[in-house]
Amino acid sequence: MSLSCFDLGERMLSVAEARAATAELVTAPLPAEWLPLEALHGRVLAEAQVSPIDVPQNTNAAMDGIALAWPQAGAPASWPLVGEVLAGQRREAALAAGECVRITTGAPLPPGADTVIMREQLDEQGGCVQVRHPQSVRRGQNVRKAGEDIARGATALAAGTRLGAAELGLLASLGMAGARVHRRPRVALFSTGDEVTAPGEALPAAGIFDANRFSLRGLVTEQGGEVVDLGILPDDQGAIVAALSDAASRADLVITSGGVSVGEADRVRAALQEVGELGFWKIAMRPGRPLACGRLGERATPFFGLPGNPVAAMVTCLQFVAPLLARLQGRTEPLPRRLTALAETSLASRAGRVDFLRGVLASDAEGRLWVRSTGRQGSGILSSMVAADCLIEIDPERAEVAAGEPVTVQPLSDDLC
Ligand code: AMP
Ligand code: MG
């Protein structure tokens, strides 16, 4: 059965059905472009990166000290010192069995050498080196083998990998000056509602400042998107149709918040139906419903109409929009990321829906991960998102979580920007 956004009607959907249906909105990642290393942070690889070299390039010393050629007959207590190899140098002349050279960390072992002894365990006298505890030396110790980190021809990073600090360092260590990555999704963002007022303006008597455009901008940016901020939609159907059509022609994804609940002055809903093919959903989750979803305009641009309540807007963005942004960029790992933690106290929930509580994680001395609620959980209480470092996800099967029971959590990481 295909779960299309548009033929689900207005029945109550499970979170799983909503996830499956929204996933259909993106069938392929955005095109790739080549970018230099400096511009790759947060981007997603469009192709696997195969190492052109062995890393490390040479078998080398892991310590400052001596490199020696271990004789067949066993190690002597004193080694003739026949030279020196510093980092950046290479000695082509082979060591004869029983000889050693002074060596610094990272310097290539000369031919014949197979073992390194650290400087602190040595004494030098008359062109020979004495080892203080020869019985503790093992043949092959303190040597990093060529290619032991990454062999030439091996896949260093898979396609779909998001490039953070470690990945950038790795690409650089392979000598790559850049890579092909997927284009960042352009995300058009609107707020809706007559009461919604831009920060910086005077707050009307019945007004509310526009929180969503900025919390959603933050989430979209963290997920690798590029925001096109289209402001607050006027309460005028013609203007909404024009703005949405224009956004759909320019953006890879369009997001609005507010104005999609049943029984509202339904201009947004009516306008949306004029511009696209949409479903209006009630999802069995809290906070979260209602949600509109579908495609807009000739380019069939994916669209999300998120709830107006600030916490609901963020939670639905994290559950449904973030995975699509990941797909648009070719990311392969499953999102959202989940862990299991033990509930510090009992957590209220209701069977038949997924409850997303705002939570705070802590580990104890035994290494167990605990989670507690941030307190009041109203879907307008944005300070609960500020206090939280995770969402607690309580399955529809559970009517309550007792203290000490395991529960699923989704960490709210400061993702890459
Ligand atoms: P709605 O989904 O339009 O019915 O809005 C639900 C609640 O969220 C109402 O109290 C709105 O005032 C509030 N709301 C809607 N949009 C925003 C916004 N951009 N920022 C803050 N609150 C909002
Ligand atoms: Mg509204």
Side-chain angles (χ1 to χ4, degrees):
M1 182 188 68
S2 160
L3 283 170
S4 162
C5 282
F6 325 117
D7 54 24
L8 290 167
E10 297 211 4
R11 75 181 168 88
M12 185 72 81
L13 300 182
S14 71
V15 170
E17 283 176 311
R19 279 192 209 289
T22 52
E24 283 185 10
L25 288 171
V26 170
T27 48
L30 294 168
E33 57 189 343
W34 188 93
L35 288 178
L37 270 181
E38 294 80 350
L40 285 179
H41 192 237
R43 295 301 201 99
V44 180
L45 286 175
E47 51 203 31
Q49 302 299 303
V50 172
S51 179
I53 55 169
D54 277 332
V55 180
Q57 182 180 199
N58 299 295
T59 296
N60 68 77
M63 301 269 184
D64 289 344
I66 56 166
L68 48 92
W70 197 273
Q72 290 291 357
S78 178
W79 301 76
L81 187 62
V82 298
E84 162 176 275
V85 192
L86 305 177
Q89 298 176 345
R90 223 185 130 83
R91 178 187 157 107
E92 302 300 341
L95 293 190
E99 288 179 343
C100 73
V101 288
R102 197 175 290 119
I103 198 158
T104 56
T105 305
L109 257 58
D114 55 10
T115 302
V116 171
I117 305 175
M118 70 194 289
R119 200 171 51 191
E120 290 78 353
Q121 297 172 358
L122 305 172
D123 295 304
E124 202 182 314
Q125 212 172 42
C128 276
V129 175
Q130 280 78 43
V131 182
R132 286 184 206 150
H133 306 289
Q135 67 285 359
S136 66
V137 177
R138 298 281 166 269
R139 186 176 190 177
Q141 72 177 24
N142 299 332
V143 170
R144 299 188 289 221
K145 289 261 192 300
E148 79 175 18
D149 182 3
I150 303 164
R152 179 203 304 251
T155 297
L157 292 170
T161 302
R162 195 171 192 203
L163 302 173
E167 289 80 5
L168 293 181
L170 186 69
L171 286 178
S173 75
L174 303 180
M176 295 184 174
R180 283 175 66 73
V181 290
H182 292 286
R183 184 163 70 64
R184 292 177 68 182
R186 268 192 292 275
V187 179
L189 199 54
F190 295 97
S191 294
T192 71
D194 277 347
E195 75 283 24
V196 177
T197 307
E201 288 181 8
L203 188 64
I208 181 168
F209 281 123
D210 182 0
N212 295 348
R213 207 154 32 99
F214 301 93
S215 57
L216 295 174
R217 166 190 276 275
L219 290 178
V220 166
T221 308
E222 284 169 9
Q223 302 300 325
E226 215 171 67
V227 171
V228 183
D229 186 340
L230 296 171
I232 302 168
L233 281 181
D235 193 17
D236 169 283
Q237 194 170 326
I240 295 173
V241 169
L244 284 173
S245 308
D246 177 51
S249 70
R250 295 199 282 146
D252 302 304
L253 181 71
V254 179
I255 304 176
T256 64
S257 68
V260 293
S261 50
V262 187
E264 175 138 7
D266 270 346
R267 288 195 183 77
V268 179
R269 286 172 67 117
L272 288 171
Q273 264 151 341
E274 227 178 281
V275 185
E277 203 187 356
L278 296 178
F280 292 90
W281 299 349
K282 293 193 213 82
I283 304 176
M285 64 187 277
R286 195 169 89 163
R289 56 186 186 157
L291 190 88
C293 155
R295 298 192 173 98
L296 298 183
E298 282 170 11
R299 293 173 60 230
T301 308
F303 167 79
F304 282 94
L306 303 180
N309 273 311
V311 177
M314 287 191 77
V315 168
T316 49
C317 183
L318 287 164
Q319 301 311 307
F320 304 113
V321 182
L324 278 208
L325 287 171
R327 285 167 75 97
L328 279 169
Q329 293 168 87
R331 282 176 83 177
T332 47
E333 80 269 29
L335 289 173
R337 204 161 69 84
R338 292 182 169 90
L339 300 172
T340 301
L342 303 170
E344 268 185 38
T345 59
S346 66
L347 299 170
S349 166
R350 207 168 73 190
R353 72 174 185 213
V354 180
D355 279 85
F356 291 97
L357 309 185
R358 273 71 75 204
V360 180
L361 291 166
S363 59
D364 65 18
E366 280 77 52
R368 289 174 305 185
L369 189 61
W370 293 89
V371 66
R372 64 175 169 81
S373 158
T374 55
R376 290 199 304 142
Q377 296 286 322
S379 67
I381 304 178
L382 206 43
S383 53
S384 70
M385 284 299 286
V386 174
D389 60 13
C390 71
L391 293 177
I392 307 170
E393 181 181 13
I394 307 177
D395 294 341
E397 294 74 36
R398 297 172 87 169
E400 169 197 63
V401 176
E405 279 185 355
V407 69
T408 302
V409 294
Q410 299 180 6
L412 295 169
S413 57
D414 293 333
D415 215 338
L416 302 162
C417 296

